[in-house]
Amino acid sequence: MIFKLHYIVFTFIIFIIPGPVLCKDIIVCPDCEIRSVKEAISQSANGDRIIIKKGIYTENNLSIDKEIEITGEDFPVIDLEFKYQGFIIKSNNVKISGLEIRNISVNYMTDLSAIKVENSENCVIENNVITDTFFALYLANSDGCLIKNNKISCRAMSESSSGNGIHLWKCNNITIEYNETTGHRDGIYFEFVKKTTITANYSHNNLRYGLHFMFSDSNVYRENTFRENGAGVAVMYTRNIEMTDNKFEDNWGPASYGLLLKDISRSLIKRNLFYKNTTGIYMEGCEQIQVEENEFKSNGWATRILGNCMNNKFTGNNFVSNTFDVSSNSSRSENIYSGNYWDKYDGYDLDRNGTGDVSYRPVSLYSMIVDKVPESIILLRSFIVELIDATEKAMPVLIPETLIDDNPKMKMIEYD
Amino acid sequence: MIEIKELKMSYGKSRALNGINLSLEKGQVVALMGPNGSGKSTLLKSILGLVIPQKGKIFVNETDIANNYLYRTNIGYMPQIANYPENLKVKELFNIIRDIRNGSKEKDEELLEKFRIFEIYDKYFGQLSGGYKQRVTASIAFLFDPDILILDEPTASLDPLSTEIMKSKIIDSKNENKLIIISSHIISEMEELADRIVYLLEGSIRLNMNIKDIKNGSGERLGKAIARVLQSN
Amino acid sequence: MNTKILKYILFELLRNKFIILYSLILMVMSFSIIYIGQDSSKAVITILNLILFIVPLICLIFGTIHFYNSKEFIQFLLTQPVNRKSIFRAEYLGLSISLSLGFLIGVGIPVMFYGFLLSGMYLVLTGIILTFIFTAIAFLSSVINKDKVKGIGLSIIIWLYLTIIFDGLVFLIIYFFNDYPIDKFIIILTSLNPIDLGRILMLLQVDISALMGFTGATFQKFFGSFIGMAISAVFMLLWIFLPLAVSLRMFKRTNF
Ligand SMILES: Nc1ncnc2c1ncn2[C@@H]1O[C@H](COP(=O)(O)OP(=O)(O)O)[C@@H](O)[C@H]1O
Ligand SMILES: [Mg+2]
């Protein structure tokens, strides 16, 4: 009975206290009444908005367990002074925007981050500048968040002592767009992330991968640019990926790839640009991937397809100015190549239908030799190599018979 | 003027000069004679530094010519055969030698005029006949008024008219107290020009005498007199 | 003084029909390669192959023939008060500069016309360096042999050797000894061939993406830094100056 009375009183209070009082703005500034973000958070209630004015706030460990919005005016600086981590979001519907968060030191025990989101839904992290943090954005077990337009940078020195820019673990339905990440270990890192859309991000000069994910099915990657990352982009153990209109550029090095695909199946790779990578696409244990209408330009190896890849389809791609277009470690190929443009193709088109009358073998004998004996790269473009390739072309014995494009295009394919 | 001591020269295995000792003074025409292959050209080329003898020394005006090239300012040379680049103009050849001599002015243009070289000044050597090229060569040899003239078979490829011009030029030069060395195997030609005969055979000097002494007032033709002297040696 | 001789030798050679023809042929070939190929870097590579093949051949053969043809003129110059070194220098520079000009016009104009910029510039530079190298080798081959036919023969043999046989041997060595640490050896070995050096200098421009794919530390260092470029350049200069120094020594003792 008493309990019931309490309940009635409670509902009564809720109804008679007017709205504005419920959702108040709390102002924080260096010479306001409230000078610290921590205090503002503790004074806030669900639905409140904390507005942080310009200034430098040296604070730490800002745990948020209420549904509030924190927004900065003119990018107030939250300086963590290498002491501990920044915001930890534990409740739903939290929004953080307009802040500059900086300075977290390396920590081998905890994944210290500028903003950590744990077990929460519908958070929005937008327009923040995050510099020199171990991890920048860290989402675990969360759902439905929007991560937009953040500028994340770091000066990582070594792979083992650095964290990731945007790190997601066990998340669903996240939208990540228009962010820039640089100088971290991995620019964007996913593990067990589903139904997520990644659009128009720019991930560059990270120590290891620009984008790295594992066990993250059914995600869509569009219009992102991955440039000059230590090892390019690596994706593993995943199904149903859609990668369209991305750019993979300038990833140089012995273990560096525009896009490394390991155990990927039923996916679409379309209209991407692979430019100046040591290897454009590297595939290992992949099945049923459609590689369509991509442009491979000025790569060392446009594609390296290992023998354990099956039923992948390469159609309508442009292969231009690559040192090697296709290389494989196997003498058999169970993938389909059709209707691509190969700039090395020198066949003719008598019936003028735009498709060459003789089929094209994109694997050269020399590329197989280089695979076996890497030192022989020093003879690249020498007369003897031209001779070897010409001989093999005239009397093919070693190149995989089935690796053949029956409909090579005569002209570069135009996409619209 | 020219002093040659113990000169030995061979091309590979074949011996061309076999210990030559020779001393030549100015104000005379010396005929270097001998059959083909006796070493006349080789001896003349040694004086110019065109061939480099294995042994012996050559002094021109008291300077050792080894590793020297400036002494050639004083020598005019006409090789047995001369050839010039096809696409070079006659005028340009004259410019080259002028430049080599640091723009020093031509002193003696007599042959230039008599051979009418000015008329072909703008022609390319590719357009000229062998005789014309030889006339160009001859006029260059005399152009800078050198003290020594070395002419290797000068009349071999000249037409009779040019030969006469050459002869009188040679005599004029002698009268200017110059040393003129002419190689030839045509004895009759030398009879009217030469003061002295140096006769080469298989790379050795077999005779070196004034014509007067060879004939010794005998009234023989020169050829016969030479044969007689050679035999008596 | 020898710049003046050089000037006239240059005049003479630039009127040479063969050099004009050489330039024209290069130009026609370059323009058609650029016109047919859709992509500029493919065109650069095709022109590179052409250059690596033709430039050494032409310089060697034309250089050798020219040297023998100039013998009488050289003899004439030697009767003038100049030293042999000046004449040799003027002859060498005259020939290599005029062949380079022929090359520059034949390949440089088409390449610049299509605006290839950096890789085009490297292409032209490589061609010019090769011209200087192979003219020097042609002179060496001519000074060694008194006989014209023998000299031309030697030049052709040198060309065949450096263009085909040498790389074939390198290939066999790499293929059969790749279990041993031969990286350094291979790099030094290829540096012994100026055509390979020219090729590698270009590879560093057009194929750097592939070259960076190598794990061997020596290769990484060689290709991945300025070092490869510097070493190639130094060796190429050596390839000009060594044959020249040797042939000058012999030229000074030649009997004309
Ligand atoms: N450039 C040369 N190479 C080899 N042998 C030569 C050369 N020039 C001349 N000889 C040889 O040297 C000898 C002398 O030749 P040369 O001086 O030309 O004689 P000449 O002028 O009296 O006819 C001959 O046996 C000739 O074959
Ligand atoms: Mg003679």
Side-chain angles (χ1 to χ4, degrees):
Chain A
M1 188 64 207
I2 292 170
F3 174 75
K4 207 165 190 182
L5 188 71
H6 267 107
Y7 186 79
I8 291 165
V9 171
F10 185 69
T11 17
F12 175 76
I13 290 169
I14 284 178
F15 274 103
I16 59 163
I17 293 172
V21 180
L22 250 185
C23 301
K24 59 182 184 295
D25 280 356
I26 301 170
I27 313 284
V28 182
C29 71
D31 33 39
C32 293
E33 201 173 318
I34 298 170
R35 292 176 193 185
S36 88
V37 182
K38 196 170 245 167
E39 196 186 335
I41 293 171
S42 74
Q43 289 195 10
S44 69
N46 280 351
D48 284 354
R49 185 163 69 159
I50 297 172
I51 299 171
I52 307 175
K53 303 268 184 188
K54 198 176 170 72
I56 295 176
Y57 303 86
T58 53
E59 299 189 50
N60 255 301
N61 239 12
L62 302 160
S63 187
I64 302 173
D65 45 11
K66 293 165 224 171
E67 302 186 6
I68 54 172
E69 176 182 345
I70 298 177
T71 182
E73 274 184 20
D74 301 322
F75 291 98
V77 175
I78 313 292
D79 192 337
L80 306 170
E81 289 190 306
F82 301 104
K83 284 181 181 146
Y84 207 60
Q85 58 188 338
F87 294 93
I88 303 114
I89 299 174
K90 291 176 174 165
S91 61
N92 297 338
N93 304 320
V94 174
K95 179 174 179 185
I96 295 183
S97 66
L99 302 183
E100 181 175 343
I101 306 172
R102 63 190 188 200
N103 300 340
I104 295 181
S105 57
V106 177
N107 188 305
Y108 295 101
M109 307 299 292
T110 341
D111 297 332
L112 298 182
S113 3
I115 300 175
K116 189 174 272 176
V117 182
E118 283 178 340
N119 311 314
S120 64
E121 290 178 11
N122 305 329
C123 64
V124 175
I125 299 171
E126 199 176 12
N127 299 333
N128 300 291
V129 176
I130 302 173
T131 38
D132 296 326
T133 58
F134 186 45
F135 283 76
L137 305 179
Y138 191 120
L139 282 72
N141 247 328
S142 297
D143 205 338
C145 290
L146 170 68
I147 297 177
K148 186 173 175 179
N149 209 18
N150 300 288
K151 262 185 141 45
I152 298 168
S153 64
C154 184
R155 280 166 295 179
M157 303 307 280
S158 75
E159 268 185 33
S160 57
S161 68
S162 57
N164 301 321
I166 299 173
H167 181 106
L168 273 65
W169 185 75
K170 274 204 178 169
C171 293
N172 284 318
N173 298 311
I174 313 283
T175 302
I176 299 176
E177 54 189 28
Y178 302 104
N179 301 288
E180 179 181 347
T181 59
T182 181
H184 278 272
R185 180 173 55 191
D186 291 343
I188 302 172
Y189 176 94
F190 298 162
E191 210 174 331
F192 308 109
V193 173
K194 310 242 149 59
K195 292 180 214 135
T196 286
T197 309
I198 299 93
T199 312
N201 300 285
Y202 179 29
S203 177
H204 61 104
N205 301 91
N206 294 290
L207 276 191
R208 196 171 61 178
Y209 298 118
L211 166 69
H212 184 194
F213 63 78
M214 288 183 272
F215 314 108
S216 294
D217 299 345
S218 311
N219 295 330
V220 178
Y221 304 83
R222 278 194 201 114
E223 296 163 29
N224 303 288
T225 300
F226 304 100
R227 180 179 292 141
E228 279 187 67
N229 295 295
V233 166
V235 302
M236 304 169 186
Y237 317 110
T238 300
R239 283 174 299 189
N240 293 329
I241 309 165
E242 195 187 310
M243 285 192 155
T244 54
D245 299 299
N246 302 288
K247 290 180 181 163
F248 302 84
E249 299 175 336
D250 297 311
N251 298 293
W252 279 357
S256 198
Y257 309 93
L259 178 58
L260 178 148
L261 302 162
K262 189 170 178 340
D263 286 294
I264 304 289
S265 57
R266 274 179 272 141
S267 295
L268 175 68
I269 297 174
K270 191 167 175 175
R271 281 195 312 267
N272 301 286
L273 169 69
F274 297 87
Y275 180 64
K276 281 198 173 172
N277 304 288
T278 290
T279 302
I281 295 184
Y282 175 92
M283 281 193 192
E284 192 182 323
C286 292
E287 279 179 46
Q288 298 181 46
I289 299 183
Q290 303 260 12
V291 182
E292 287 178 17
E293 301 182 3
N294 300 286
E295 178 140 348
F296 296 89
K297 197 168 183 216
S298 301
N299 301 286
W301 285 260
T303 59
R304 273 189 128 145
I305 315 296
L306 298 201
N308 55 4
C309 293
M310 282 191 290
N311 301 323
N312 301 292
K313 223 174 149 180
F314 294 81
T315 54
N317 301 289
N318 282 325
F319 290 87
V320 178
S321 303
N322 303 297
T323 304
F324 304 108
D325 290 332
V326 179
S327 96
S328 174
N329 64 345
S330 158
S331 56
R332 293 184 314 139
S333 163
E334 298 177 32
N335 305 301
I336 298 163
Y337 294 84
S338 182
N340 300 288
Y341 169 75
W342 314 88
D343 69 341
K344 296 178 187 65
Y345 178 62
D346 47 15
Y348 44 84
D349 178 22
L350 292 182
D351 55 4
R352 299 205 166 269
N353 63 352
T355 301
D357 299 347
V358 284
S359 47
Y360 178 62
R361 297 170 178 276
V363 175
S364 69
L365 177 56
Y366 175 59
S367 78
M368 297 183 77
I369 294 171
V370 170
D371 252 23
K372 254 188 161 169
V373 189
E375 286 86 358
S376 58
I377 191 77
I378 201 150
L379 290 170
L380 179 62
R381 304 202 188 288
S382 67
F383 189 66
I384 190 87
V385 162
E386 308 275 318
L387 214 63
I388 289 173
D389 277 348
T391 317
E392 172 70 15
K393 232 180 215 167
M395 307 172 285
V397 275
L398 295 169
I399 298 176
E401 288 260 342
T402 46
L403 212 169
I404 200 165
D405 189 336
D406 281 325
N407 299 300
K409 293 287 172 233
M410 294 306 290
K411 283 211 165 114
M412 272 237 268
I413 301 155
E414 312 264 347
Y415 314 114
D416 27 43
Chain B
M1 275 216 118
I2 296 180
E3 184 84 33
I4 298 171
K5 286 182 178 161
E6 282 305 318
L7 198 67
K8 284 185 183 165
M9 164 72 203
S10 53
Y11 299 97
K13 275 178 201 145
S14 79
R15 218 337 90 94
L17 297 177
N18 233 331
I20 303 283
N21 286 294
L22 188 63
S23 175
L24 300 170
E25 288 312 317
K26 55 187 163 185
Q28 59 174 338
V29 176
V30 178
L32 187 58
M33 306 205 65
N36 268 331
S38 56
K40 304 183 293 290
S41 294
T42 306
L43 180 59
L44 297 182
K45 284 178 175 179
S46 311
I47 299 171
L48 281 147
L50 286 174
V51 300
I52 293 143
Q54 282 84 13
K55 277 225 174 85
K57 283 207 177 303
I58 299 175
F59 298 88
V60 173
N61 291 328
E62 270 94 56
T63 44
D64 188 346
I65 66 159
N67 303 317
N68 191 345
Y69 61 90
L70 287 174
Y71 75 97
R72 291 199 286 262
T73 321
N74 263 330
I75 303 180
Y77 174 65
M78 203 181 148
Q80 211 166 337
I81 13 159
N83 217 344
Y84 303 95
E86 280 184 27
N87 297 306
L88 195 71
K89 285 181 180 174
V90 174
K91 183 169 64 183
E92 288 167 344
L93 182 72
F94 281 88
N95 287 336
I96 292 179
I97 27 179
R98 225 170 271 145
D99 284 343
I100 286 176
R101 291 166 194 257
N102 282 327
S104 86
K105 268 258 151 268
E106 293 92 317
K107 293 161 185 160
D108 183 356
E109 296 190 343
E110 188 188 338
L111 284 186
L112 225 55
E113 274 154 30
K114 288 201 169 141
F115 286 152
R116 291 190 296 191
I117 303 296
F118 292 119
E119 288 170 23
I120 53 159
Y121 230 43
D122 279 311
K123 287 220 159 99
Y124 292 105
F125 278 103
Q127 300 169 289
L128 298 186
S129 67
Y132 242 131
K133 285 182 207 166
Q134 201 67 357
R135 274 184 263 167
V136 171
T137 313
S139 23
I140 289 173
F142 287 90
L143 195 59
F144 292 91
D145 197 24
D147 296 336
I148 300 168
L149 282 152
I150 295 177
L151 313 173
D152 198 351
E153 314 242 5
T155 55
S157 52
L158 283 179
D159 57 292
L161 181 62
S162 305
T163 305
E164 284 314 307
I165 295 172
M166 272 294 280
K167 278 181 186 165
S168 64
K169 185 71 191 166
I170 289 168
I171 291 166
D172 289 351
S173 298
K174 180 180 92 173
N175 294 337
E176 285 164 28
N177 206 21
K178 293 180 178 179
L179 169 63
I180 300 107
I181 310 171
I182 308 173
S183 87
S184 176
H185 56 273
I186 307 165
I187 297 175
S188 60
E189 211 174 74
M190 291 301 107
E191 194 163 1
E192 49 179 309
L193 280 177
D195 304 299
R196 171 184 283 271
I197 304 281
V198 174
Y199 195 90
L200 272 182
L201 199 62
E202 289 175 355
S204 302
I205 294 178
R206 301 295 292 272
L207 180 150
N208 177 5
M209 286 169 93
N210 284 330
I211 288 193
K212 267 186 239 145
D213 299 333
I214 297 174
K215 288 188 176 169
N216 203 8
S218 65
E220 288 169 295
R221 281 192 299 109
L222 183 60
K224 240 182 179 172
I226 292 175
R228 176 173 48 76
V229 176
L230 281 176
Q231 254 156 22
S232 68
N233 282 359
Chain C
M1 182 158 75
N2 80 56
T3 58
K4 288 173 186 163
I5 304 176
L6 170 62
K7 185 174 82 183
Y8 293 104
I9 291 179
L10 261 178
F11 279 176
E12 198 271 325
L13 277 165
L14 290 177
R15 294 178 193 132
N16 189 300
K17 282 190 205 83
F18 185 85
I19 288 187
I20 296 167
L21 190 71
Y22 171 59
S23 196
L24 277 178
I25 288 175
L26 282 177
M27 193 182 279
V28 168
M29 285 171 123
S30 307
F31 265 121
S32 42
I33 287 168
I34 294 169
Y35 179 75
I36 291 167
Q38 297 188 341
D39 180 71
S40 67
S41 72
K42 193 193 173 194
V44 165
I45 287 159
T46 315
I47 296 175
L48 168 73
N49 277 333
L50 176 81
I51 289 172
L52 292 179
F53 200 78
I54 281 188
V55 168
L57 182 67
I58 296 299
C59 292
L60 277 171
I61 292 190
F62 183 71
T64 315
I65 291 176
H66 174 80
F67 188 89
Y68 288 109
N69 287 349
S70 305
K71 261 196 151 162
E72 279 151 340
F73 184 53
I74 292 173
Q75 177 184 332
F76 167 80
L77 290 175
L78 282 175
T79 64
Q80 302 296 316
V82 257
N83 61 4
R84 290 197 171 196
K85 195 175 166 182
S86 308
I87 290 170
F88 183 82
R89 231 191 265 157
E91 280 287 336
Y92 171 72
L93 286 177
L95 186 58
S96 41
I97 289 175
S98 49
L99 282 169
S100 297
L101 276 176
F103 173 83
L104 188 68
I105 291 167
V107 174
I109 287 180
V111 164
M112 296 305 155
F113 190 78
Y114 280 87
F116 286 170
L117 304 170
L118 195 66
S119 58
M121 269 172 52
Y122 269 97
L123 192 73
V124 171
L125 195 71
T126 307
I128 288 175
I129 297 176
L130 285 177
T131 303
F132 275 81
I133 292 174
F134 281 94
T135 309
I137 297 176
F139 270 44
L140 182 61
S141 156
S142 319
V143 195
I144 289 175
N145 289 289
K146 266 188 177 173
D147 184 50
K148 184 171 175 171
V149 178
K150 273 191 195 159
I152 294 171
L154 179 63
S155 287
I156 291 174
I157 289 171
I158 291 175
W159 179 78
L160 275 175
Y161 178 73
L162 293 180
T163 306
I164 302 168
I165 300 169
F166 186 91
D167 287 350
L169 292 176
V170 171
F171 181 76
L172 290 178
I173 291 172
I174 293 176
Y175 201 84
F176 288 108
F177 295 97
N178 74 84
D179 292 339
Y180 303 92
I182 50 169
D183 293 23
K184 242 181 220 149
F185 176 69
I186 291 300
I187 286 173
I188 293 169
L189 196 64
T190 40
S191 303
L192 297 181
N193 182 345
I195 299 181
D196 281 343
L197 283 170
R199 186 171 52 79
I200 288 169
L201 214 56
M202 273 312 289
L203 292 187
L204 290 172
Q205 294 308 307
V206 291
D207 287 300
I208 188 69
S209 312
L211 297 176
M212 292 317 292
F214 286 88
T215 37
T218 317
F219 269 45
Q220 273 282 315
K221 231 188 196 163
F222 185 72
F223 292 134
S225 59
F226 185 70
I227 294 176
M229 205 86 121
I231 291 181
S232 306
V234 167
F235 267 85
M236 287 189 106
L237 290 182
L238 281 181
W239 264 108
I240 297 176
F241 289 109
L242 284 184
L244 268 190
V246 175
S247 26
L248 176 60
R249 266 181 84 92
M250 298 184 75
F251 181 82
K252 280 182 177 168
R253 293 192 214 126
T254 305
N255 295 314
F256 282 88

